[in-house]
Amino acid sequence: MRVIVIGGTGHVGTYMVPRLVQSGHEVIVVSRSQRQPYQAHGAWASVRMVAMDRAAEEASGQFGQKMVDLRPDVVIDMICFKLESAQHLVQALRGNVQHFLHCGTIWVHGPSVEAPTTEEQARRPFGEYGIQKAAIEAYLLDQARRYGFPATCVHPGHIVGPGWVPLNPQGNFNPQVYVSLARGDELALPHIGMETVHHVHADDVAQVFTQAMANFSTAVGQSFHAVSPAAVTLRGFAEAVASWFGQEARLRYLPWEEFARGVEEKDAEQTLQHIEHSPNCSIAKAQRLLGYQPRYSSFQAVSESVQWLIEHKVVTTS
Ligand SMILES: NC(=O)c1ccc[n+]([C@@H]2O[C@H](COP(=O)([O-])OP(=O)(O)OC[C@H]3O[C@@H](n4cnc5c(N)ncnc54)[C@H](OP(=O)(O)O)[C@@H]3O)[C@@H](O)[C@H]2O)c1
């Protein structure tokens, strides 16, 4: 099939595009051509790269028609963040595509209620990002179920892979947290360290997308989490990272205000966003309906990334 990946050179596209090419698909990647995939792969030689700024094309009302002009069988939209963007694309693609896959986020859920959270639980998103993603999901599933538009939503957790800083045990992206744990320094955690984060390796996200394509009849009109088999607590995560360096984690538990005062403002904001969600999502539906078999646990995925950070001297251990 001819597959367009909108935003196909990022975290997920790095793994998804080679997977698609190796499955025999003709792949077109739409991006601004400002960046390269995180890893080289021979498959990219056979990929058609189309340079386009989605925001500019949407502003002029041309984006949807430009996608139709590429005559896709499948469109994978990695970079849709506004309901209007989804509506614009669906209007153009209606009747012009066999399968449409949207990349959402587990933040469509808001705070966990019953854990692990299933795709069927009522949405309680907060924050503009999660609210918009939940609105897009609701719109796409409605379009699929009411009007037969062939949409599937894939909701990744915190995406991890070699080449960028994985969400750390404080629930932010400061690489110094890994340095502290590697050196056996004391690390502050908010509250009692029992809030959760839920990572996923980028290749496992790619797997959910390709499995959804391969299982079209069960995937259309459905949402699927793309996460590792198990979320981790901040405390357990910190202890595991320290153990990779032969250390015992020296953790100090602080009330929120005190914790926030002790870290950079940006880090405190990110930690708060992550622990307010404290995601813990189920993969049972993706396993049952798509045959999803994640290759990485949360710790395996983060460990691979931290190894990359050490090799590239972002994290120094001595
Ligand atoms: N990161 C996470 O932990 C996380 C967690 C849950 C869900 N998600 C979801 O994952 C999706 C992002 O996937 P990703 O992390 O693989 O992507 P990414 O690494 O952020 O890469 C973005 C891709 O989109 C292209 N792009 C960005 N702006 C563009 C524009 N205006 N026009 C055309 N192309 C553009 C980029 O290439 P150029 O820069 O060259 O244009 C690149 O190919 C989002 O829907 C996000 O909500 C992410």
Side-chain angles (χ1 to χ4, degrees), residues 216-267:
F216 168 86
S217 59
T218 45
V220 164
Q222 300 292 333
S223 292
F224 298 95
H225 295 149
V227 289
S228 77
V232 296
T233 61
L234 298 187
R235 173 186 178 150
F237 185 11
E239 289 168 347
V241 172
S243 75
W244 300 340
F245 298 94
Q247 305 283 0
E248 195 149 331
R250 291 174 51 218
L251 303 175
R252 184 148 182 247
Y253 301 105
L254 298 175
W256 173 255
E257 297 300 335
E258 204 177 327
F259 172 84
R261 273 198 302 278
V263 299
E264 289 175 26
E265 195 180 332
K266 171 168 64 76
D267 295 339

Side-chain angles (χ1 to χ4, degrees), residues 6-14 29-36 38 52-56 63 77-81 102-106 129 133 155-160 164 173:
I6 304 170
T9 57
H11 306 117
V12 178
T14 294
V29 165
V30 174
S31 76
R32 294 166 301 181
S33 291
Q34 292 182 357
R35 59 191 273 191
Q36 298 294 315
Y38 287 92
M52 197 182 293
D53 183 340
R54 180 193 195 141
F63 185 67
D77 188 358
M78 293 303 302
I79 49 167
C80 183
F81 299 96
H102 163 78
C103 185
T105 168
I106 55 172
Y129 171 65
K133 287 283 196 183
H155 295 309
H158 316 305
I159 302 173
V160 180
W164 64 95
F173 297 97

Side-chain angles (χ1 to χ4, degrees), residues 191-204:
H191 307 140
I192 57 167
M194 290 305 288
E195 280 137 335
T196 55
V197 286
H198 207 159
H199 299 85
V200 61
H201 194 285
D203 187 47
D204 284 332

Side-chain angles (χ1 to χ4, degrees), residues 85-152:
S85 299
Q87 290 169 330
H88 167 78
L89 195 51
V90 167
Q91 277 154 23
L93 288 175
R94 200 185 299 283
N96 289 310
V97 74
Q98 289 183 28
H99 199 176
F100 178 83
L101 297 101
H102 163 78
C103 185
T105 168
I106 55 172
W107 283 14
V108 294
H109 287 295
S112 299
V113 180
E114 285 184 313
T117 306
T118 65
E119 289 85 342
E120 280 61 47
Q121 286 187 25
R123 303 288 182 263
R124 305 191 312 151
F126 62 91
E128 184 60 13
Y129 171 65
I131 289 170
Q132 283 292 328
K133 287 283 196 183
I136 294 166
E137 176 190 41
Y139 168 71
L140 289 174
L141 298 188
D142 183 70
Q143 289 293 309
R145 294 169 183 187
R146 201 184 298 267
Y147 306 109
F149 183 76
T152 297

